[in-house]
Amino acid sequence: GAGVSQSPSNKVTEKGKDVELRCDPISGHTALYWYRQSLGQGLEFLIYFQGNSAPDKSGLPSDRFSAERTGGSVSTLTIQRTQQEDSAVYLCASSLNSGVEQYFGPGTRLTVT
Amino acid sequence: AQTVTQSQPEMSVQEAETVTLSCTYDTSESDYYLFWYKQPPSRQMILVIRQEAYKQQNATENRFSVNFQKAAKSFSLKISDSQLGDAAMYFCAYRSPNFGNEKLTFGTGTRLTIIP
């Protein structure tokens, strides 16, 4: 079956612009996670969804970052007023009803110039 | 908070030989999950192997096996008969068993090079 998909694959944006990153989880997976992978910070958790609600937003680095999930499926991570330090690979993962194993998408590489 | 440490930024191994990647972690929880993920240049994280802390038996998946030492909080990955396709970044990760706290905490990774 289809895996986790993310779009766009790469995004270049100017400092100060807003960006939206999309994640399509595996069909039927109720849990969805966003992570960020950067040279300086390694792999870090951002936010977790169970269905459409986000019980854990503890990893969002600032109020410029937000995420939503609709219909228990697609999720969008929005970064407002992007900064150069936001440059990173943003990874999405999903799992079955808080199942143990998380399945990752290919990521979106965000470059802020 | 849990922490995961990978002390080997880079490792290399001859093709067909065996290599061991190290991982230690810190937690106050008695039950948890540990994982090794592989990230090739394509960026996609691929689950290699998982271990439940309550299981004493070390997990194995074909050429991949772990040495789980709960008291020492150590979780190393052994790759036998290394193949060119094993070249990648390898990340050790920790997950709490508690509902609502399913996030993965990752180590900083080990870049594995396979020498033909």
Side-chain angles (χ1 to χ4, degrees):
Chain A
V4 178
S5 61
Q6 293 186 245
S7 60
S9 178
N10 293 282
K11 175 73 176 178
V12 179
T13 189
E14 291 180 352
K15 178 181 172 181
K17 301 281 190 183
D18 297 353
V19 295
E20 286 189 350
L21 311 180
R22 177 187 169 106
C23 172
D24 275 281
I26 293 172
S27 178
H29 280 196
T30 56
L32 186 147
Y33 311 80
W34 283 98
Y35 296 89
R36 179 169 72 173
Q37 185 173 22
S38 59
L39 283 177
Q41 301 297 323
L43 261 163
E44 52 182 347
F45 166 79
L46 296 177
I47 187 170
Y48 152 60
F49 286 94
Q50 181 59 250
N52 291 335
S53 63
D56 189 351
K57 306 179 184 179
S58 62
L60 294 178
S62 76
D63 58 8
R64 297 186 296 105
F65 287 72
S66 63
E68 64 175 13
R69 189 178 184 195
T70 55
S73 180
V74 172
S75 176
T76 303
L77 177 68
T78 301
I79 309 173
Q80 296 179 312
R81 305 180 302 282
T82 52
Q83 304 294 312
Q84 287 189 329
E85 61 263 28
D86 299 334
S87 296
V89 173
Y90 290 81
L91 294 166
C92 176
S94 69
S95 69
L96 269 172
N97 194 25
S98 298
V100 174
E101 296 181 9
Q102 297 182 19
Y103 298 86
F104 282 80
T108 294
R109 180 178 296 280
L110 175 65
T111 303
V112 182
T113 62
Chain B
Q2 294 82 23
T3 59
V4 178
T5 302
Q6 292 179 251
S7 58
Q8 305 155 314
E10 297 184 352
M11 292 282 285
S12 61
V13 63
Q14 291 281 148
E15 193 177 1
E17 296 296 308
T18 295
V19 65
T20 298
L21 308 184
S22 301
C23 173
T24 58
Y25 58 94
D26 190 26
T27 183
S28 59
E29 297 178 315
S30 58
D31 194 19
Y32 44 86
Y33 302 95
L34 295 167
F35 306 86
W36 278 98
Y37 278 88
K38 168 185 177 181
Q39 187 180 40
S42 67
R43 291 199 311 243
Q44 183 125 22
M45 299 282 280
I46 302 164
L47 179 64
V48 174
I49 199 166
R50 82 182 224 193
Q51 174 81 43
E52 289 87 349
Y54 66 85
K55 291 186 178 178
Q56 293 187 345
Q57 187 172 7
N58 289 323
T60 62
E61 286 287 341
N62 301 313
R63 298 182 295 107
F64 299 87
S65 61
V66 298
N67 183 2
F68 173 50
Q69 301 289 328
K70 190 173 183 180
K73 296 180 181 174
S74 171
F75 182 60
S76 61
L77 174 70
K78 185 171 82 171
I79 306 174
S80 304
D81 185 26
S82 298
Q83 301 176 0
L84 294 177
D86 295 334
M89 283 290 290
Y90 285 81
F91 292 93
C92 179
Y94 174 102
R95 180 193 182 277
S96 169
N98 299 325
F99 180 75
N101 191 20
E102 290 91 343
K103 66 186 177 192
L104 294 173
T105 300
F106 289 92
T108 50
T110 298
R111 182 176 303 281
L112 179 64
T113 301
I114 310 297
I115 304 167

